Amino acid sequence: SDHYNFAKKGIPAIFYFNGVHADYHRTTDTVEKINFEKMEKEVQMFYDRIPKDSLPYLDSEVELGELVIKPVVNEEQKAIAKQKLEGIMEKIVSGEESFEAMALKYSMDPGSGARGGDLGFAKRGSYVPEFEAAVFSLKEGELSEIIETEYGFHIIKQLER
């Protein structure tokens, strides 16, 4: 590598290998390489000391769509709204209608409904717990079961991770 060639000429060279900092340097007539295994262990020990809840989430931002029906608060109205959403879900799953078309037609969410259910990208912590648990468990293109939150019943579609 260029770093090795620089070191052979006596010019210090610094580089990163698998996230581990190392450098080549000239010692008498040979080029000596820093021990990567030792450095790798030191880096791993450093990260192992960081509390797990302080480490960033991988795949912590997703783009999704939603279809929302907000029922009236009594149990009878909730059951009617959920039954309506089950019928909508059947049409989406069977391929009779697309998620986007059904969201445009039926979603009561004032923002995403007009965009075919598209909520855009969001990070963890953006939604109520029931909604977020479903959102981050879905694979791209997958539909959730019907989720109930304080805002109503939802069908969630993972659009992109």
Side-chain angles (χ1 to χ4, degrees):
S1 83
D2 287 338
H3 301 298
Y4 180 81
N5 291 330
F6 284 127
K8 280 179 30 181
K9 295 175 186 168
I11 302 168
I14 299 171
F15 69 102
Y16 290 87
F17 176 75
N18 285 346
V20 178
H21 171 268
D23 68 331
Y24 281 105
H25 53 89
R26 188 177 179 108
T27 58
T28 61
D29 293 327
T30 63
V31 174
E32 182 181 312
K33 186 170 72 170
I34 300 297
N35 182 340
F36 283 113
E37 288 180 23
K38 181 180 178 201
M39 291 182 77
E40 209 170 328
K41 287 177 186 171
E42 290 172 0
V43 170
Q44 186 63 51
M45 287 172 44
F46 171 80
Y47 282 104
D48 287 344
R49 287 193 303 262
I50 298 173
K52 298 300 179 220
D53 62 350
S54 297
L55 294 173
Y57 291 106
L58 298 178
D59 293 329
S60 64
E61 187 173 289
V62 295
E63 182 179 17
L64 54 116
E66 73 165 342
L67 190 155
V68 180
I69 293 184
K70 296 180 183 177
V72 181
V73 292
N74 73 42
E75 292 302 314
E76 182 181 342
Q77 290 300 314
K78 283 174 78 171
I80 291 169
K82 188 172 182 183
Q83 186 175 23
K84 182 176 183 178
L85 202 53
E86 287 167 349
I88 292 168
M89 178 77 126
E90 285 177 25
K91 288 181 179 184
I92 295 169
V93 171
S94 73
E96 183 180 334
E97 294 280 350
S98 72
F99 173 87
E100 294 74 14
M102 296 304 271
L104 278 168
K105 198 181 288 186
Y106 295 108
S107 183
M108 298 170 119
D109 182 69
S112 68
R115 293 188 309 272
D118 192 340
L119 285 168
F121 281 93
K123 294 183 180 197
R124 288 185 187 269
S126 300
Y127 303 111
V128 294
E130 309 88 346
F131 192 91
E132 188 163 300
V135 164
F136 286 96
S137 68
L138 295 172
K139 293 180 176 83
E140 195 168 309
E142 187 177 16
L143 290 175
S144 69
E145 297 294 321
I146 295 172
I147 307 296
E148 182 178 5
T149 71
E150 61 193 85
Y151 301 106
F153 292 105
H154 312 262
I155 299 171
I156 305 164
K157 180 178 181 182
Q158 179 69 263
L159 301 178
E160 187 178 336
R161 241 183 213 281

